[in-house]
Amino acid sequence: MSDAPPQPPAGGWEPRDPTVQTRGDTDAPPSPRTPAPGRPPARNRPRRTGWRRAVPTWRTVLGGLLLLVLVLGGGFLAGYLLIEIPPANAAATAQANVYLYADGSPLAQGGRVNRESVPLARVPRPLRQAVLAAEDRDFYTEPGIDPGAMLRASWNTVTGKGTQGGSTITQQYVKNYYLGQERTVTRKVKEFFIAIKLDRARSKDAILEGYLNTSYYGRNAYGAQAAAQAYYGKDVQDLDTAESAYLASLLNAPSAYDVGTRPSNRARALARWNYVLDAMVQERWLTAAQRSALRFPEVLPARPTAGLAGQRGYAVQAVNAFLARHGILSERALAAGGYRITTTLRQDRMDAFSAAVREQVLDRLDPETNPADRYVRVGGASIEPATGKVVALYGGVDYTRQYVNNATRRDYQVGSTFKPFVLASAVAHGATTQHGEPITPNTVYDGTNKRPVEGWTGKAYAPANEDDVSYGGIPLHTATDRSVNAVYAQLAVDVGPKKVRRTAIALGLPADTPDLTASPSIALGPATASVLDMAEAYATLANHGRRGLYSLVEKIERIDPAGDRPLPLPAAGSDAHQAVSREAADTTTAVLRGVVEGGTGTAARAVGRPAAGKTGTAEDDKAAWFAGYTPDLATVVALMGQDPKTGAQKPLYGAMGLDRVNGGGAPAEIWAHYTGTALEGTPSRDFDLKLPEGAEIEEEREPEDLTEEADTEDVTDRAADDRPRQPSPDTAPPPGPEAAPTRTATAPADEPEDAPPGTVTTARDRTPATR
């Protein structure tokens, strides 16, 4: 090999690539793109462009996770170190609620906690196991918190599956004994850390004992011992397995499962009771054979709290229900006590209501010689239309003798007191007859007895009038005075049953009122609204169709040694809005004045001032109603028939020595007596009515016979004969082919919004109805 340096080729050397290192260049520094000796060559990474630049790298993700872990860990450590186990809260040592009349005078005192703590050794094993099966089956084997359940509950709440419980027994005990019932993030955070510390500081048995002694079981009973006495009249150690499972069921929602106070809860209570027992079998605390031998245990009737005699207990019950229904105070918070509640109730009007009932009904009863008198119950409610304040209630003869509140119960048909809502709906929606003419108080309808409604695509419906009387052609206002069922069933179809239902709800009836179903029979009142519900709806009519929040509470304060603290409260009349047009409400009022002046409610004329109202009777005369108002006061009164031993609804035939009890009798007499006393000393005012064109009531004419075969005189003569009683003019439909909408004349699921108008006769077209 020659040592001579290589010679360049003829064309010269090519330019040298500076990134390539030759053998002789050992002293030259490596190029940035040249790997160091002994290292593998580096890959050329393409630069991130486009959407890839928005995607974090794995280094970013890992760094973020590490930062999150550090933050959560630091927060957990800070919470654990800073949050200490506090002393017992006020609810654990609760005091009474104080209820006041509107003027500040004492009404009642209630809410004192009924609690007797017992050691865990006195609590029978079946009760302990039933509580664990219902609330926290892993209590003895798992920590005091369950993060998985908490996250699952939070997710269900956020995704709209309802508020879910994710608390262990330890957490529930912390909430009951150390904290409060408010649903805030701060309370949940405190509950979390206190539960962790408590689980480390106290034994499982001690925590379970505290939980059993502080939990609320309903009926103002705190703790297992108080619950055993309230529901079974025995000490806790004497409970058997079936009774234990029932008490454990109550922990979920006492008011929803108390079958003694509300028999309608039985189906739900039975399902929850079965759930608890099945869980005990799954945990092997109960054998299948033992489980199958158990029967649902009957509970004692609810016993009223002492000191709530007369009307006071009913008032407290209604006020508590109002506060709970509007989310102002929970049932648990009210039972714990410590609140001063000023109501809208006036003592003078409460006394006037009691006096009216006593004079018009109670003094006329003789249960010793007349068995029907034992069934008579009275309920009443009175509201100021302008303010929306409930000023008086009548719940029954005495809260300590009759626990059920007749002013707020929802289990008796309202009968024809519902008919004004149909009329108001007709005017509000501008309803027309089949001929396209607007419906007014003077529209003539066919009042033939048992006339099938026309234009209804559901099951055939042909309601009877009182004593099977056929009225022929009759103006709508006269049909209201006489409460003609055939006319109002057709009117409901002409308006549209769904619109009628919406109007009733807009006026004041709850949307979940039982049997408030959109069908022709809705006009006859099979719905079972309460007396107070009906008073709210009639107060809206009296207030020219304007409705606000009807209130039972003026002010509420938390009693505190450091100074009473007021709680936020929606004002009476707040959220006021026009439920129906003024013209619709005032037209209804004008027609209802005729009921008092010359219709079925003439007994109400004794009030001695302008008044409007409507009578009503339930199926089989099991209830009789009068709902009426003056410009200053709306009041509803109902007589109800109920067996005092079984609780079954009973007809009022023969009560007070009368063949029949209807709304134009004792209910209207009570109304007139109470309203006259309540408004005594105030100026008499007439109604300020704004009527649409054509709504002025024309002079009444004799009813016309629109059918060739109908003979009103003959039918009337037969009505005087001694024969079985027929439904009264304001009677709700009985069961059977012409029954309440929920059982018979129910509209099909695909029923259009409004069925075609039915056949009516008008002032210009009085042709016989076709069938």
Side-chain angles (χ1 to χ4, degrees), residues 647-720:
Q649 295 187 12
K650 292 289 186 179
L652 291 171
Y653 299 135
M656 297 183 290
L658 304 172
D659 288 340
R660 302 177 69 174
V661 175
N662 53 54
E669 292 165 354
I670 293 172
W671 183 92
H673 188 294
Y674 159 75
T675 304
T677 303
L679 297 179
E680 188 175 3
T682 64
S684 176
R685 294 198 300 139
D686 203 349
F687 291 99
D688 178 20
L689 302 181
K690 181 180 179 182
L691 304 181
E693 184 178 355
E696 293 81 4
I697 297 175
E698 298 174 359
E699 183 179 353
E700 183 177 350
R701 289 164 290 187
E702 289 298 321
E704 294 187 14
D705 185 3
L706 299 187
T707 60
E708 296 178 356
E709 61 271 35
D711 188 340
T712 304
E713 183 177 358
D714 290 344
V715 173
T716 305
D717 289 342
R718 290 198 303 272

Side-chain angles (χ1 to χ4, degrees), residues 485-503:
N485 291 337
V487 169
Y488 264 88
Q490 185 64 61
L491 179 62
V493 173
D494 292 349
V495 178
K498 290 184 179 180
K499 289 181 179 179
V500 171
R501 184 180 187 275
R502 288 202 302 269
T503 298

Side-chain angles (χ1 to χ4, degrees), residues 39-122:
R39 295 184 181 178
R43 291 189 307 168
N44 293 331
R45 294 187 183 87
R47 299 187 64 181
R48 296 160 62 89
T49 60
W51 63 268
R52 292 182 177 84
R53 299 180 64 183
V55 179
T57 65
W58 67 270
R59 292 183 179 89
T60 303
V61 173
L62 180 60
L65 290 175
L66 290 175
L67 179 61
L68 180 62
V69 169
L70 289 174
V71 171
L72 292 177
F76 179 88
L77 181 62
Y80 187 84
L81 294 176
L82 294 176
I83 297 177
E84 298 293 340
I85 299 177
N89 65 11
T93 56
Q95 52 192 319
N97 291 324
V98 177
Y99 297 84
L100 307 173
Y101 285 111
D103 62 0
S105 59
L107 167 61
Q109 195 169 39
R112 189 177 302 279
V113 172
N114 176 22
R115 178 190 289 119
E116 180 183 350
S117 296
V118 296
L120 190 63
R122 278 187 59 187

Side-chain angles (χ1 to χ4, degrees), residues 601-616:
T602 54
R605 293 170 58 186
V607 72
R609 58 179 69 209
K614 185 69 186 75
T615 57

Side-chain angles (χ1 to χ4, degrees), residues 35-267:
R39 295 184 181 178
R43 291 189 307 168
N44 293 331
R45 294 187 183 87
R47 299 187 64 181
R48 296 160 62 89
T49 60
W51 63 268
R52 292 182 177 84
R53 299 180 64 183
V55 179
T57 65
W58 67 270
R59 292 183 179 89
T60 303
V61 173
L62 180 60
L65 290 175
L66 290 175
L67 179 61
L68 180 62
V69 169
L70 289 174
V71 171
L72 292 177
F76 179 88
L77 181 62
Y80 187 84
L81 294 176
L82 294 176
I83 297 177
E84 298 293 340
I85 299 177
N89 65 11
T93 56
Q95 52 192 319
N97 291 324
V98 177
Y99 297 84
L100 307 173
Y101 285 111
D103 62 0
S105 59
L107 167 61
Q109 195 169 39
R112 189 177 302 279
V113 172
N114 176 22
R115 178 190 289 119
E116 180 183 350
S117 296
V118 296
L120 190 63
R122 278 187 59 187
V123 180
R125 184 176 298 276
L127 179 56
R128 284 182 268 171
Q129 293 171 338
V131 169
L132 294 176
E135 299 296 317
D136 189 357
R137 303 177 197 180
D138 300 322
F139 172 75
Y140 277 97
T141 58
E142 297 294 336
I145 59 169
D146 186 351
M150 295 172 65
L151 291 174
R152 186 166 56 251
S154 300
W155 175 254
N156 289 338
T157 301
V158 170
T159 55
K161 297 181 180 179
T163 302
Q164 304 287 317
S167 300
T168 64
I169 278 180
T170 304
Q171 289 174 273
Q172 293 181 56
Y173 173 54
V174 168
K175 178 180 65 175
N176 292 342
Y177 193 74
Y178 296 104
L179 299 175
Q181 303 300 319
E182 65 273 15
R183 296 178 178 179
T184 63
V185 174
T186 301
R187 197 269 292 165
K188 292 296 293 184
V189 170
K190 290 181 179 180
E191 175 187 301
F192 179 86
F193 288 107
I194 295 172
I196 294 175
K197 289 192 172 184
L198 195 68
D199 195 51
R200 295 169 60 89
R202 300 183 64 181
S203 68
K204 292 287 189 179
D205 282 350
I207 294 174
L208 181 59
E209 176 181 304
Y211 174 76
L212 291 170
N213 281 318
T214 58
S215 294
Y216 182 59
Y217 293 81
R219 297 194 183 185
N220 200 31
Y222 277 81
Q225 168 63 14
Q229 287 289 342
Y231 289 91
Y232 296 109
K234 59 175 68 174
D235 290 328
V236 65
Q237 65 266 24
D238 298 325
L239 295 172
D240 60 29
T241 302
E243 294 165 343
S244 297
Y246 178 73
L247 292 189
S249 302
L250 291 169
L251 293 170
N252 183 260
S255 61
Y257 300 119
D258 186 349
V259 297
T261 301
R262 299 178 180 88
S264 58
N265 288 340
R266 188 176 184 85

Side-chain angles (χ1 to χ4, degrees), residues 341-560:
I341 302 166
T342 303
T343 73
T344 59
L345 300 171
R346 292 178 50 174
Q347 185 172 7
D348 58 340
R349 296 192 174 180
M350 293 279 286
D351 293 343
F353 223 134
S354 296
V357 173
R358 183 175 60 254
E359 182 172 325
Q360 302 298 330
V361 174
L362 299 184
D363 289 348
R364 298 164 62 183
L365 300 179
D366 187 5
E368 297 298 327
T369 60
N370 184 6
D373 286 348
R374 296 198 298 265
Y375 302 148
V376 177
R377 303 286 182 271
V378 183
S382 186
I383 296 176
E384 289 180 346
T387 65
K389 296 178 180 180
V390 181
V391 294
L393 292 172
Y394 185 87
V397 62
D398 190 317
Y399 186 71
T400 61
R401 294 166 54 192
Q402 178 197 311
Y403 185 70
V404 177
N405 192 338
N406 294 329
T408 58
R409 64 190 304 170
R410 293 191 176 107
D411 54 352
Y412 281 85
Q413 294 179 335
V414 302
S416 287
T417 54
F418 191 92
K419 286 176 180 173
F421 308 154
V422 186
L423 175 58
S425 187
V427 180
H429 290 97
T432 60
T433 68
Q434 63 176 340
H435 305 289
E437 297 183 5
I439 295 174
T440 74
N442 303 303
T443 301
V444 178
Y445 271 82
D446 185 352
T448 301
N449 182 55
K450 294 184 180 180
R451 173 189 177 277
V453 296
E454 301 290 342
W456 173 245
T457 58
K459 191 172 182 178
Y461 185 64
N465 297 329
E466 179 189 20
D467 295 326
D468 286 335
V469 175
S470 286
Y471 291 91
I474 185 171
L476 183 55
H477 68 85
T478 306
T480 308
D481 295 347
R482 304 181 187 182
S483 209
V484 181
N485 291 337
V487 169
Y488 264 88
Q490 185 64 61
L491 179 62
V493 173
D494 292 349
V495 178
K498 290 184 179 180
K499 289 181 179 179
V500 171
R501 184 180 187 275
R502 288 202 302 269
T503 298
I505 294 171
L507 289 171
L509 267 60
D512 60 351
T513 300
D515 290 331
L516 185 63
T517 307
S519 71
S521 62
I522 192 174
L524 277 62
T528 57
S530 73
V531 173
L532 182 56
D533 295 335
M534 295 298 288
E536 293 182 4
Y538 272 73
T540 303
L541 292 175
N543 197 33
H544 308 292
R546 190 164 181 79
R547 179 189 176 195
L549 172 66
Y550 295 104
S551 180
L552 268 163
V553 179
E554 290 269 21
K555 182 173 61 174
I556 182 168
E557 301 168 299
R558 183 78 170 102
I559 301 173
D560 194 318

